[in-house]
Amino acid sequence: MAEGAPVRDRRPVGVDELLDRVRAGYTRVEAREAYEAARAGEALLVDIRYAALRDRDGLIPGALVVERNELEWRLDPQGSHRAPEATGHDLRIVVICNEGYASSLAAASLHRLGLNRATDLVGGFQAWRTAGLPVTY
């Protein structure tokens, strides 16, 4: 190991511990807060659910749909494949998956790209729908 290199904990980490670790790095948002922030133009909602779930359950009006495997490429403000909505590193992004698990890992990945205002929706799309927020089919 190179002198001055950080010492890394090499023990395996389970997904529950990983979720706890990444979620400790930012504040997650509830459905109503995400809805109000998007309506006020203060947040970009990003739906990472796969097509079959979107077809089955509907879409959040105004949300940017980005498949999970494209997320970093589409939201990196410096990337050549960025979405027009990826306007800068100060953008507040709320990542939405189906139930609020994959979105936590996705938000952590966006943090590594310098998108430090990225967060995710507690309970995911299912919490959005349960809260009675708008959904289109």
Side-chain angles (χ1 to χ4, degrees):
M1 185 177 292
E3 187 176 324
V7 176
R8 299 186 192 269
D9 183 358
R10 298 287 185 193
R11 72 176 175 79
V13 175
V15 71
D16 292 329
E17 183 178 343
L18 179 60
L19 281 170
D20 288 343
R21 286 182 184 185
V22 300
R23 288 173 175 168
Y26 62 90
T27 302
R28 303 177 78 208
V29 297
E30 299 288 337
R32 178 68 53 188
E33 180 184 353
Y35 172 72
E36 294 297 337
R39 274 190 51 200
E42 298 170 355
L44 174 64
L45 304 180
V46 179
D47 186 344
I48 64 168
R49 294 174 299 142
Y50 52 89
L53 289 176
R54 295 191 311 268
D55 291 345
R56 182 188 77 188
D57 294 338
L59 298 168
I60 295 172
L64 176 64
V65 174
V66 178
E67 296 279 342
R68 173 61 190 99
N69 64 322
E70 298 178 359
L71 184 70
E72 292 81 0
W73 285 267
R74 304 292 287 150
L75 293 181
D76 178 3
Q78 299 173 335
S80 59
H81 293 88
R82 71 183 172 277
E85 295 86 349
T87 56
H89 285 94
D90 61 341
L91 181 63
R92 183 176 182 203
I93 298 168
V94 179
V95 183
I96 303 166
C97 67
N98 193 49
E99 294 182 342
Y101 295 98
S103 57
S104 295
L105 300 177
S109 181
L110 294 177
H111 278 242
R112 288 191 294 276
L113 286 175
L115 294 158
N116 296 321
R117 296 185 67 208
T119 186
D120 75 312
L121 183 64
V122 176
F125 178 85
Q126 297 307 319
W128 180 278
R129 186 169 59 179
T130 298
L133 296 169
V135 174
T136 60
Y137 294 91

